Amino acid sequence: MRRMSATLAAVGAAALIGLTGCGSQGAEPLGNVELSAAQVLQNSVQKSGQVNTYTADIVADINGPQGAGKIQGTMVFQQKPSLAADITFSQVSFGGQELPGGMRTILLGDTLYLKVDALRTVTGDAKPWVKVDLNEAGAQSGVDLRDLLSQAQQYDLANSVKMLTASQDVKAVGTETVGGVETTHYSGTFPVEEALRQLGPELQEQARGQMAHLKDMRFDAWIDEQGLPRKISMTGDAGEGSVSTTMQFRAFNEAVNISEPPADQVGELPKGGTN
């Protein structure tokens, strides 16, 4: 479980920062105004700051010393009036092993609800959901769930985009339709350490703990005429392996309903942990 948690933490970090970048090459129209690639993506920083909710499809491929892994699912995210997220991984595999039934997490503030069939076998609880207080999970459970979701607690989309403005080589490479929406395709790279410097000191430390294993990142971003990202693909080296993540956004600022599971279906994570 610890190995799987570490893998999910890496994917979560990559996925939750995967929005756009900024640089100096190319020139493409945004609406009726001709803007450089850098200006288009700077504009996306501002537009992303206005996003309160979004829905996205996520695919992540991991290659490392223990073998290849894949995570695929969907995420519904809400920033205000309170932080909330509902993430369903329909497929989770690592080192040739599948996680039966996948994994679902619901985050409401500092409380995480986790649904993993394999965890029920360990805890011996017939209830499908486990409730975890993220303020206590690291010290008591032995399962590093806080690292997986601390990015969601610390960053909104605007801060995530700011990290990627460290790119100096982004350029427009064409136009494509993504999910029925016309977009401009941008491609570039950014150094992770330089990206972290785009954040304030406190946020830098939080992100550095999540991304210390990642090297220079390559990305592709598909941006619509309103300046919003419709699809992001990122690939980076991670120690002896690599992580590739793609997010495709299906909705911005639409009403979402993220709520806790029924109380009679929720158990507690044992205080002694699962190791």
Side-chain angles (χ1 to χ4, degrees), residues 1 98-102 114-130 268-270 273-275:
M1 180 65 75
E98 294 276 348
L99 184 63
L114 178 65
K115 185 178 182 181
V116 182
D117 289 344
L119 188 60
R120 293 172 62 187
T121 302
V122 174
T123 62
D125 195 333
K127 297 178 180 179
W129 290 91
V130 171
E268 297 289 339
L269 193 67
T274 62
N275 53 323

Side-chain angles (χ1 to χ4, degrees), residues 11-60:
V11 175
L16 289 169
I17 67 168
L19 292 177
T20 67
C22 165
S24 59
Q25 301 182 28
E28 292 294 332
L30 181 67
N32 296 322
V33 181
E34 189 79 9
L35 300 177
S36 70
Q39 290 170 326
V40 170
L41 297 174
Q42 287 285 11
N43 179 69
S44 190
V45 174
Q46 299 177 354
K47 295 297 184 180
S48 295
Q50 300 169 14
V51 173
N52 182 48
T53 67
Y54 64 84
T55 302
D57 298 321
I58 305 169
V59 178

Side-chain angles (χ1 to χ4, degrees), residues 20 75 86 98 105 109 132 163 215 222 258-259:
T20 67
M75 173 169 60
D86 189 339
E98 294 276 348
T105 60
V132 180
M163 294 180 66
K215 305 302 180 183
W222 289 259
I258 304 173
S259 57

Side-chain angles (χ1 to χ4, degrees), residues 165-237:
T165 61
S167 177
Q168 296 299 313
D169 61 0
V170 66
K171 60 183 178 181
V173 296
T175 58
E176 298 176 31
T177 300
V178 177
V181 178
E182 293 297 320
T183 71
T184 300
H185 180 184
Y186 298 89
S187 183
T189 64
F190 68 89
V192 171
E193 186 59 34
E194 182 62 28
L196 293 175
R197 295 194 184 102
Q198 309 305 310
L199 303 176
E202 182 178 350
L203 296 183
Q204 281 187 37
E205 292 307 311
Q206 292 288 340
R208 187 169 282 109
Q210 296 291 328
M211 301 179 64
H213 61 291
L214 295 173
K215 305 302 180 183
D216 289 357
M217 301 291 290
R218 302 177 297 279
F219 70 91
D220 290 274
W222 289 259
I223 311 300
D224 68 18
E225 290 188 352
Q226 284 69 49
L228 291 171
R230 291 290 172 169
K231 181 180 177 181
I232 302 294
S233 293
M234 297 178 62
T235 301
D237 296 328

Side-chain angles (χ1 to χ4, degrees), residues 226-271:
Q226 284 69 49
L228 291 171
R230 291 290 172 169
K231 181 180 177 181
I232 302 294
S233 293
M234 297 178 62
T235 301
D237 296 328
E240 299 179 9
S242 63
V243 176
S244 296
T245 303
T246 297
M247 297 182 71
Q248 183 166 330
F249 300 94
R250 293 186 282 109
F252 293 104
N253 288 331
E254 294 187 1
V256 298
N257 181 18
I258 304 173
S259 57
E260 61 187 21
D264 61 358
Q265 297 183 23
V266 179
E268 297 289 339
L269 193 67
K271 296 298 183 181

Side-chain angles (χ1 to χ4, degrees), residues 119-183:
L119 188 60
R120 293 172 62 187
T121 302
V122 174
T123 62
D125 195 333
K127 297 178 180 179
W129 290 91
V130 171
K131 181 180 180 180
V132 180
D133 184 335
L134 293 179
N135 293 318
E136 301 177 358
Q140 294 184 352
S141 72
V143 180
D144 202 359
L145 297 172
R146 188 179 180 87
D147 279 349
L148 171 63
L149 291 172
S150 64
Q151 291 276 328
Q153 294 178 295
Q154 295 295 329
Y155 308 110
D156 58 19
L157 296 189
N159 279 326
S160 300
V161 176
K162 286 178 184 177
M163 294 180 66
L164 304 187
T165 61
S167 177
Q168 296 299 313
D169 61 0
V170 66
K171 60 183 178 181
V173 296
T175 58
E176 298 176 31
T177 300
V178 177
V181 178
E182 293 297 320
T183 71

